[in-house]
Amino acid sequence: MLAGLSLALSACDSGAEAPGQEQADLAAQKASLSGEIDDSRAGDLMPAINVSDPDGKKINLGALQGQPVLLNLWATWCPPCKVEMPMLNALAAENSDSLRVIVVSQELSKPENVLAFFQQKQLDNLHPWMDPEGLIGKALGANVLPITVLYDASGREIWRVQGEYDWSSAETQEAIAAALAE
């Protein structure tokens, strides 16, 4: 629980948006996305941690070997996370044959918030996995949300992005294609 709280406090305001507080348009939001690809932890194994969906279905991340995985940790109260999710949904659709995109909410409670967000944003290429205890963030050494890690088919880290990132950019497509070609 403490790991999840530290994620919340270090990156995003976990409070509800005030009425009338509007997000800027998507183009302006994308322009402010400042995360960078970091390969300093390349070779680290994907944590073998169970995540569950709001219906109670579970998967163990360590058992996802066989296909490259892009693992994203996010929360509904994290503004950059909310900007990234539609881009990750599109990325999942565009790369469904070669890459599995797994998004794991770090919500401390209220799985209905995750489901409502998925419905509102029509995230039909993603599944609403949850890690309410923040175990994955702790295992990854994450101190911000969002954090996204690309793993190869054997479950070894290729690179990660801490903080917000434009998952729709040509640079992203090139970085993913290059990593998957190795």
Side-chain angles (χ1 to χ4, degrees), residues 118-139:
F118 266 66
Q119 290 172 346
Q120 176 191 17
K121 296 293 184 182
Q122 300 175 1
L123 302 175
D124 53 352
N125 297 300
L126 301 172
H127 191 81
W129 297 108
M130 300 184 67
D131 174 28
E133 291 150 11
L135 298 176
I136 300 169
K138 183 177 179 182

Side-chain angles (χ1 to χ4, degrees), residues 4-91:
L5 183 58
S6 67
L7 280 172
L9 295 175
S10 65
C12 299
D13 178 7
S14 62
E17 291 183 19
Q21 178 183 358
E22 296 294 325
Q23 297 280 335
D25 68 348
L26 186 56
Q29 289 172 339
K30 284 183 179 182
S32 70
L33 301 178
S34 61
E36 294 181 10
I37 291 176
D38 172 14
D39 65 0
S40 65
R41 295 189 59 178
D44 286 0
L45 280 173
M46 185 182 315
I49 294 174
N50 288 329
V51 296
S52 60
D53 69 8
D55 295 327
K57 179 181 174 185
K58 294 182 187 243
I59 61 167
N60 185 291
L61 296 177
L64 295 178
Q65 297 177 10
Q67 183 180 24
V69 172
L70 187 72
L71 174 66
N72 172 270
L73 303 185
W74 72 287
T76 60
W77 43 259
C78 170
C81 299
K82 294 192 296 189
V83 172
E84 283 188 348
M85 291 299 284
M87 290 184 276
L88 290 167
N89 189 62
L91 187 68

Side-chain angles (χ1 to χ4, degrees), residues 84-159:
E84 283 188 348
M85 291 299 284
M87 290 184 276
L88 290 167
N89 189 62
L91 187 68
E94 294 164 9
N95 297 281
S96 63
D97 293 337
S98 59
L99 179 68
R100 185 168 181 183
V101 178
I102 304 285
V103 295
V104 182
S105 171
Q106 302 296 284
E107 303 293 313
L108 300 176
S109 62
K110 299 187 180 180
E112 59 271 12
N113 291 349
V114 174
L115 289 173
F117 182 80
F118 266 66
Q119 290 172 346
Q120 176 191 17
K121 296 293 184 182
Q122 300 175 1
L123 302 175
D124 53 352
N125 297 300
L126 301 172
H127 191 81
W129 297 108
M130 300 184 67
D131 174 28
E133 291 150 11
L135 298 176
I136 300 169
K138 183 177 179 182
L140 293 176
N143 58 8
V144 299
L145 285 179
I147 181 168
T148 308
V149 183
L150 179 63
Y151 293 96
D152 65 16
S154 64
R156 297 231 174 244
E157 183 171 329
I158 299 172
W159 47 255

